[in-house]
Amino acid sequence: MSDHPTASARLVASYEAEYVLDETQRAALTLAGEHLDAAERLDAAVREHGVMVPGSAGQLVVNPAVSEARQQRAAAWAVLRSMLPADAGTDAASMGQADSGHAARSAASIRASRAASVRWDRARAASGGDAA
């Protein structure tokens, strides 16, 4: 076992250094950290076995741990994002995601995208086009 703290421990410690957390927030951070711990274990499996592994017929296929690690990171991000106020205005760079390659859209970007979709739907409907 490594002497390095787990992703879960690092995540909770980094938030506790900045914020006063209640039990619900601490539990959410722990859950997000567990997803990140799983992603780290999957990354280790990819390092050990490679990105490409033999498939059932002997052909090379992408190691399933690659996509599962990505899913674990996405789940962690979803938990962290759920902790943000709807109008937080945070973006991927301010959450440290831009450098990791796992950037996600900000709440403001999502709101703007939804507003644009509504405008396009109205324009299609007004012109007699399908608003689907």
Side-chain angles (χ1 to χ4, degrees):
M1 185 109 183
S2 173
D3 290 332
H4 299 313
T6 63
S8 181
R10 291 189 311 266
L11 182 66
V12 172
S14 69
Y15 272 78
E16 285 179 334
E18 293 287 324
Y19 307 103
V20 175
L21 303 173
D22 64 26
E23 287 305 310
T24 303
Q25 293 166 323
R26 189 171 285 106
L29 286 172
T30 300
L31 176 60
E34 289 169 0
H35 285 298
L36 295 174
D37 290 342
E40 284 185 349
R41 288 189 300 275
L42 290 160
D43 289 344
V46 171
R47 283 190 300 275
E48 180 179 343
H49 300 287
V51 173
M52 302 299 287
V53 295
S56 60
Q59 80 283 16
L60 286 178
V61 297
V62 174
N63 187 332
V66 172
S67 61
E68 184 58 29
R70 181 175 54 242
Q71 290 299 320
Q72 291 293 327
R73 287 186 183 89
W77 176 242
V79 171
L80 293 173
R81 188 174 48 229
S82 73
M83 294 176 61
L84 296 173
D87 61 349
T90 57
D91 59 12
S94 65
M95 292 299 292
Q97 297 295 309
D99 294 333
S100 70
H102 303 289
R105 292 173 46 201
S106 69
S109 173
I110 292 168
R111 284 192 306 273
S113 178
R114 287 181 186 151
S117 292
V118 168
R119 287 191 302 272
W120 276 108
D121 289 346
R122 285 182 189 151
R124 282 188 207 103
S127 69
D130 184 14

